[in-house]
Structures are given as C-alpha cells and as structure tokens.
Amino acid sequence: MKRSGKMKLGLSMRSLGYHVAAWRHPDAPPLGALNFESFYWAAQAAERAKFDMVFFADSLSVRGRDEPKGAAARSSWNLELEPITVISALAPLTKNIGLVATASTTYNEPFHLARKFASVDFISGGRAGWNMVTSWSDDEAKNFSQTHTKDYDFRYERGAEFIDVVNGLWDSWDDDAIERNQQSGVFYDATKVHSLNHVGKHFKVAGPLTVARTPQGRPIIVQAGESEQGREIAAASADVVYTASDEIQRAKAFYASVKGRMEKYGRPMDALKILPGLTPFVGRTLQEAQDKHDQLQELIDPLVGLGALSRKVGDLSDLPLDEPLTRIAGARMKSAGDKVMAIVKEENLTLRQLYQRFASANGSRVVIGTASQIADTMQEWYEAYAADGFNITAARLPADMESFGELVVPELQRRGVFRTEYEASTLRENLGLPSAESRYAGGEGVRSVTEILAAAGAAS
Amino acid sequence: MKRSGKMKLGLSMRSLGYHVAAWRHPDAPPLGALNFESFYWAAQAAERAKFDMVFFADSLSVRGRDEPKGAAARSSWNLELEPITVISALAPLTKNIGLVATASTTYNEPFHLARKFASVDFISGGRAGWNMVTSWSDDEAKNFSQTHTKDYDFRYERGAEFIDVVNGLWDSWDDDAIERNQQSGVFYDATKVHSLNHVGKHFKVAGPLTVARTPQGRPIIVQAGESEQGREIAAASADVVYTASDEIQRAKAFYASVKGRMEKYGRPMDALKILPGLTPFVGRTLQEAQDKHDQLQELIDPLVGLGALSRKVGDLSDLPLDEPLTRIAGARMKSAGDKVMAIVKEENLTLRQLYQRFASANGSRVVIGTASQIADTMQEWYEAYAADGFNITAARLPADMESFGELVVPELQRRGVFRTEYEASTLRENLGLPSAESRYAGGEGVRSVTEILAAAGAAS
Ligand SMILES: Cc1cc2nc3c(=O)[nH]c(=O)nc-3n(C[C@H](O)[C@H](O)[C@H](O)COP(=O)(O)O)c2cc1C
Ligand SMILES: Cc1cc2nc3c(=O)[nH]c(=O)nc-3n(C[C@H](O)[C@H](O)[C@H](O)COP(=O)(O)O)c2cc1C
C-alpha cells in the first residue's frame, strides 16, 4: 500500500531543543536560547536538508516561579527570543525554507499580526507562516492585565474570529492593485483595495492593511490544538496541523478525524498537512544512538525531572531515586497516578528511570536508532495515513538537526519519500498547498471561519 | 564658540524616502517600500558613513481613503513593511549601526513590545531602539476596535505608564542572573530575577520578562512629540528626541526647553540627544543640487500636492496652477490660510509653486547645496545648541543616503564634528549615553516615569 507523493518536514525549535537537559550538554551555546546564532545554524542545517520549514514555539511568561525547591531555575526554557523577530532575522539569511512563528490570538490584535506576518512574507519572498495558539496559562494572562486565563470557549471563539480578520486583512489588496504608473502618477487602483469593515463580537477592524497581498497570497496558518474546537478550526482554515501523538493508532485516528471534517468546508483533504512531532536520536549504529540518548538522560536534573512528574502525580521528593518504586504518595490526579504505577510495575522502574521517561518525550514520539530504523518508523506513519510528514522536535539544537540531515534525510530520499530539491520558492508551493484565493476574487465568495463554524454547528 | 564632542546622525526612513514623488523617480525600486532590499542598501550606506542609527517611522492605517479625486492612490506612502520586522531582518546583516523602529503605546501591550525590542537587542548585539509614539489618527483607531482616537491626555498618560512597564520588564533579570552552571545544574539565580507586579491605571503586568537584561542594559528609547507632555516625557525618560524644526531659532528654543526640564529628574543634559530632521539635496555644485531638487519637485502630482495643501487651507481645485495666486477660496483654518497667503504675496507664487514648497519640506529643514554648504548649516545648528545632531530625512532612498555619505560625511569628518570610526558596538555607547542602571541595582532606586511626572506636577 505504497502512498504516492512525498512527506513534508519541519524543524520545531524551542529553547536549545526539546530536551530539558540540552543546556547542560558540553556543546550547548553559552547564552542559551538568547543566542540567535544557534537558531541560524539550525535553520541552515534544515535548509541544507531541504526541510519545508523551521517552526518556533512560544510562551508569554516565565513559568514555575512558585515551584518548590527552585526547579525552574534549573531549566533554560524560561529565556528565549521572541519568535517573530527571529523569523524576520532569518528571512534574508535563508533562501527556500519556510519560517513559522507562534503568536497568540488571546493577547494580540489581528491588525498587528496580519501586518507583521505579511511583512515577513515580503522580506522572505513568500516563506512566512503563523502558528496560531490561544494561550492557556494564568501566568500568561497576568502579563496582559488579566488575572486568569479566559475559558476555553471564549478563547477559541476569539481565535476563530481573529483568523477571519487576519485572512480578510491579507486580502485587502488585489493581486494586481499596484499599478505604479510613473508616467500617469497613479500608484494603485483604488477600486482594487478593499476595506474589511469587520464588526464582530471580539473585534472591529476597518482595514485595509498597509501591506499589499503577499508573495504567497496569504502567509501559511498552522494550528496546534487537539480538542474538538481545535480540530474544527484546523479543518476549516489551517494549512498545517502540528500535533503530539506518540503512538501510531492514536495518530491515525486524529488524522482521520481532522481530515474527515474538511469536506463540509469544501476543502480537499490535501489542502491541509498534518505533522506530528517526532524526536529522533540517530546514530551510525543503534548503540551510538542509544548512547546519545542516554547521555542526555543522565543530565536531567532530578529536581527538573521530578518537578515535571510531580505536576502530574503529586510530591515525590521523599522517595529514593535509584530503588525500584513501589508506591506513589498522594497522587494529585488518581487516573494519572494509576497509569504511571502500571508502567512502573510492568517495567520495574526506579524513580529516576520514571522521570527520565517522561522528561525526554514531551508528548511526541521518540525514536532511537540508525537512519534506516528511524526512516522505517517515519515511512510507516506516512504510508498508514497517520501523518503527512513530521515536525522534528530535535532534542538538542543545532546538533540533532545536523545529524538528522546528514543521516536520515538521505535515507528518506533514497526511498523516494522525501524531496531532493525544493520544488518552488514559496512555503505554500513547497507544501503542495492550493493557491490562496482572495475573498474578493469573485466566484462563490469565500466565507469567513466564524460563518463556516456556525453553519456547521461546530462552534460549541 | 566651538562646541566640543561630535554630532550624532540618524537616517530616518519612510516609504521610498520623505519626498512624496520619490516613487516616480526613474531609479525607484518597483515594489516601493515593500522592497526590503532598498532599506538594506540604505542601511548599508548609512553604516559605511558611520551613522549612529537607522530609524523607521510608522503608521497603522491606510490614509486618505476618503480623499477627493483619488489623491491617496497617487501616493506610495500607504504601503510599507512593518518596522519591527524590518529592523530584525537588518540586525544580522549589519554590524555597528543602531536599529530603531516606531511602535505605538496606544494600540500595543507593553509585554509584547518590551520582549520584541529586547530580542532585537540580543540579535543585533546591543543596537535596538524604540521610537515611542502615541498615534493620533482616527483611521488608526478604527483598525483596533475603536471609533476615534483617544484624547491627548489619555494617550500621553497611557504612554508614560507604558514606558514605566517596559523599563521595568527590561530590568527583570539582573546583569549577572544567568549562572549556567552545567555542573551543578543551576541555570539562573532566582534571587536575581524580579517580578515587576506593576498595577497601574492602564496596565497590570506581573513579569518577569522572558528575555534577560540585554546587551545595552535597556534598548534605546526615542521620543517624537513636541507638546508640553511630549517634552516632559522626553526629559524624564527618553534617550533621543526626534523633532521637526525648520528654523534655527525655533530649534534652539525647543532644545533649551527640553534640556531645561532634565535637571529636576536628576538627569545630566547629555543623557539625551536632540536630533531635528534635515532633508539634504547635495551636489558637487550648487546647480547640481538644485537640479536634483527641482527634478523631484517636477514629479509631484498636482492632486497629491494640492491634497496635502487642501488639508490645511481648504479646496483649491478650481484655481489655475501656473498663474500667480491672488486668493485662497474657503480657507479651512483661518490662521493657516492667512499665513499661506502672506507667503504667496511676499514671493509672488503660483499655486504649483506653493504646493511644491509644502510637499518637499514635510516640516523638516530642507538644505540644497554643496557638501560644504550643507555642512555649514549642520555645524551652525550643532554649535548653537539647536541640535545634538540630525535625523536625515532623505528625500529618496537609498540614493540620497548614498550621496550624503559620499559627499557630506567626509566634509563633516574633515571639520572634526563627526566620527571617523564607531566608538563601540552598542547604540547606547555610540550615542555617548550613560549606561542604563537597573531599578533593582540598589542606590537611590530609580523612580518610575509616572511617579516622576506626578512629583514634577507636569502630567497635565
Ligand atoms: C503540538 C502542540 C504544540 C503546541 N505549541 C504551543 C506553543 O508553542 N505555544 C502555546 O502557547 N501553545 C501551544 N500549544 C497549545 C495549543 O495551542 C492549545 O492551547 C492547547 O493544545 C489546548 O488546546 P486543545 O485542547 O485544542 O489542544 C501546542 C499544542 C500542541 C498539541
Ligand atoms: C519628528 C516627528 C516624527 C514623528 N513620527 C511619527 C511616526 O512615525 N508615527 C506616528 O504615529 N507618529 C509620529 N509622530 C507623532 C508624535 O508621536 C505625536 O503623536 C505627535 O507629534 C503629537 O504629539 P505632540 O503634540 O506631543 O507633538 C512624529 C512626530 C514628530 C514631531
């Protein structure tokens, strides 16, 4: 059951990589994730490997300030550069790779975001993307004059309207609106510039945008929510979905669930690419890969590892680290505690082994092996329609991107499941997405996401 | 009365330059101000000329949509890239020059702006600056869920509080907060990280920022308001003031007024640099300079020129263009009409000559001449304490920056009033500003701008 076409690959970047101990590795850059150079090297390695895009996650607060015993101060994750500035800086330094930054619909204004991503699309010649998130933590709310995060429905409702407005603003100028007739003195055709005049529940935005329609028509929209509302928004309006499945059956179900919702919005299934996260540890031999993995695991600070685990199952600080675990005191969530104890018993784990297991995965699939073993897993997921490709959540940057590019990518290319050269210069075209039609282009008239969701009875 | 020290120079960029007809010049880049390359060339030319900074003005709406006869469609000003993305993109492409972007305190959140400018400061190695504006137009309000711009006092009050919060967030991390002890596993010293816990009239912001204290300590703050409130905020908290005086006596009075307010805030006068705008037309001969100027003036579309003039004095469209003007029909503002008619009579101007006169100046001083004549004016202003330097509002980009760098800068250097090499790698040091002390650094404790203004009884 060979699947035709090629898989798509992104490099997801967070701090110095997705592994909590990445900063303790001897090769880690001194300034941590405040060091632009390390993102630049990683982006260059990803572009050499013909990746579709680099992707920057984000959060809007320092986390864990109130955690016991200073676990937060033992993590490098709280310090990082703001991603829109990072993708802007990468734009003139790269040529073909897509540049995706995360930005929240809860604490931003659509005019600002539409304008910034449109600008990056011009600076990069058609490679900008926006990962739309709704922000869930109270810590973030407190940096924006609020005391608690708004509830789920409010955030997703605002998020859907936000996307509408942004799409509308991106359509402000028709493709051929700029005449630039130096002789006659007419710079643009005013009949081809549209005021949005959006009036909604959360926003009133007149428009037009101060940036013309971009090289991609519209920048790419990535969505990363997994709930019903998240899936519905993705089916209605996202170009890419980033997910965190660690198991193929679950990934297949998610894939089918999201793609199955697209038809009612009049969208073909391949107008949306679903990319689960995947953390590879690759070696020339299995042993080398395993050693790479174990070396990082050994560097996990017990406080950091226990901190992450404790948030799930309660305080564990009085238990011995290196003896087989027999109980978990005062599990915070019973179901989580039971699930964890089942794993512990089955595998006879110590407390250290247990937190290591949780600390490295971060929700995505971890694959340890040779290039051929890692390619096997990727190909299996791709061919089973569990994924259209992967967002590589490298454990350590830029090192793990470099080794993936040198070892795994040639293997995927040999098998014919990944490109050997960029097909085009825009992210939209490289992803194989249909071109973005303006809502003013005539024909049926593109409906807004809010209208679509209402019609589908899906916005809860 | 020689003045010691050197003048400071910025290049102010707007669209394809400050002249409304810049886009009609045969050498103008096709995409207009959506073309990143032309900003890059201009920034390179400014860096070759050892300028302190490049500076990007901004506005948040398409202007003049309701103007009669489509004058707006005859201007290229409505389309431009968002400036924070532009300075981010310039950061890794430049080495010494400061990078200043305009951003509004009325339509932004302080956490976002503090973070973005801090990130650019890291990416550029200490060269970021923020031009703080309060946004005055209704067109802009309508893109941010409002119907009218808020009144003056509200905007300046919010602006002052906004600066406080941003400064506080920039101080979140002490200079030595990051330990990065790979052995012990401690990444930062939690006692050296400060939650701001700001609770004010306009904002509640907990902090800390997710970016460490930056290479400059704090990015540079530029201020460009000329009212009482604007001057007071500048004296209390700005590093640079950008002004638009076209006459030396008025410039001297403004300079003295702003600097005279600094003492009560405990700030030495040279902790603030006042840079008026200046539009040079330079040639190897006076004739060449004059021709350069006249060529652009000839390209001013009558509708664009009349449109700008009409906003001041009312409709002029039924008057002949090339006969001496005798009356102005229905002047909108009597005082403006009288002032204009006085000039018309004194100089016996035609309507075309009149709008040309207004269209090229844009409020700043225009100087047409040889390098030596332009340097004379600059030196005169500098030595008379009418200016600490200039923000060059080049008529046409990048061409006028290139000719200024090739002709005028060597003349200023020969006279010893401008640097021949950068003194340092940060903008703050090149501007000769004192280092930025953190509010947590002990000593007297830096007061907030709001407190300072209240104590001075200055915030109206
Ligand atoms: C793979 C993945 C990546 C995510 N990345 C971010 C991120 O970078 N920043 C953020 O604020 N939220 C992020 N989120 C959170 C989502 O935007 C969303 O708030 C969260 O998943 C809860 O919504 P849901 O129940 O629809 O999944 C991510 C979620 C997933 C599944
Ligand atoms: C030289 C100069 C440059 C300015 N540049 C901008 C700008 O780029 N964007 C903007 O919104 N306002 C700009 N302004 C407007 C000011 O921020 C302010 O709103 C306006 O001057 C009114 O305030 P004031 O009465 O204190 O001068 C500028 C003002 C001056 C004097």
Side-chain angles (χ1 to χ4, degrees), chain A residues 12-14 18 55-60 63 80 102-104 131-137 140 152 155-156 223-231 241-245 254 275-277 362 364 391 393:
Chain A
S12 182
M13 304 209 224
R14 185 83 218 235
Y18 273 85
F55 174 103
F56 293 88
D58 194 37
S59 60
L60 296 166
R63 302 241 163 113
E80 57 188 357
T102 296
S104 168
N131 179 37
M132 175 268 186
V133 300
T134 62
S135 302
W136 46 269
S137 79
E140 291 171 293
Y152 213 88
R155 281 185 289 130
Y156 267 100
Q223 214 277 339
E226 309 213 321
S227 62
E228 281 298 303
Q229 287 102 318
R231 291 173 195 209
V241 165
Y242 173 28
T243 112
S245 306
F254 177 78
L275 310 184
N362 198 47
S364 289
N391 218 1
T393 42

Side-chain angles (χ1 to χ4, degrees), chain B residues 57-58 102 131 133-136 152 156 224-227 230 242-244:
Chain B
D58 194 36
T102 296
N131 178 37
V133 300
T134 62
S135 302
W136 46 269
Y152 212 88
Y156 267 101
E226 308 213 323
S227 62
Y242 173 27
T243 110

Side-chain angles (χ1 to χ4, degrees), chain A residues 7 20 43 45 64 89 116 127 177 204 256 278 297 357 364 385 441:
Chain A
M7 63 175 69
V20 291
K116 287 193 170 70
R127 298 183 283 125
K204 282 201 274 297
L278 185 141
Q297 293 293 88
R357 211 182 134 115
S364 289
Y385 293 92

Side-chain angles (χ1 to χ4, degrees), chain B residues 197-323:
Chain B
N197 291 323
H198 171 90
V199 179
K201 183 162 162 193
H202 301 271
F203 305 104
K204 283 202 272 298
V205 181
L209 198 63
T210 54
V211 183
R213 214 168 133 86
T214 73
Q216 285 188 106
R218 296 172 177 176
I220 294 303
I221 293 183
V222 183
Q223 214 278 339
E226 308 213 323
S227 62
E228 281 298 304
Q229 287 102 319
R231 292 174 195 209
E232 213 61 50
I233 288 191
S237 62
D239 300 302
V240 172
V241 166
Y242 173 27
T243 110
S245 306
D246 62 352
E247 196 272 313
I248 188 167
Q249 293 311 327
R250 227 153 21 95
K252 276 180 70 170
F254 177 78
Y255 186 102
S257 157
V258 175
K259 296 256 176 165
R261 294 163 202 246
M262 294 179 71
E263 199 187 339
K264 67 176 178 289
Y265 302 123
R267 300 182 73 202
M269 298 224 279
D270 61 3
L272 171 66
K273 306 298 171 190
I274 297 184
L275 310 184
L278 186 141
T279 304
F281 289 90
V282 62
R284 279 164 222 278
T285 61
L286 176 57
Q287 190 57 48
E288 191 185 303
Q290 191 68 51
D291 289 347
K292 235 179 176 178
H293 173 261
D294 295 349
Q295 186 193 6
L296 265 184
Q297 293 292 88
E298 289 304 320
L299 292 172
I300 299 173
D301 188 293
L303 278 174
V304 175
L306 285 175
L309 196 55
S310 298
R311 255 168 273 147
K312 287 201 171 69
V313 300
D315 188 19
L316 302 162
S317 55
D318 57 346
L319 298 176
L321 274 181
D322 295 308
E323 292 169 24

Side-chain angles (χ1 to χ4, degrees), chain B residues 17 46-47 52 139 146 165 175 217 256 280 301 313 382 408 422:
Chain B
E47 191 165 65
D52 291 85
D139 279 346
Q146 299 176 21
V165 175
D175 285 321
D301 188 293
V313 300
Y382 178 67
V408 184
Y422 286 105

Side-chain angles (χ1 to χ4, degrees), chain B residues 102-145:
Chain B
T102 296
S104 168
T105 54
T106 301
Y107 305 116
N108 274 294
E109 290 285 342
F111 195 88
H112 285 316
L113 281 199
R115 201 167 161 238
K116 288 194 170 69
F117 283 103
S119 295
V120 178
D121 213 42
F122 271 101
I123 297 173
S124 65
R127 298 182 286 127
W130 166 38
N131 178 37
M132 174 268 185
V133 300
T134 62
S135 302
W136 46 269
S137 79
D138 288 344
D139 279 346
E140 291 171 293
K142 287 175 185 149
N143 288 328
F144 298 93
S145 297

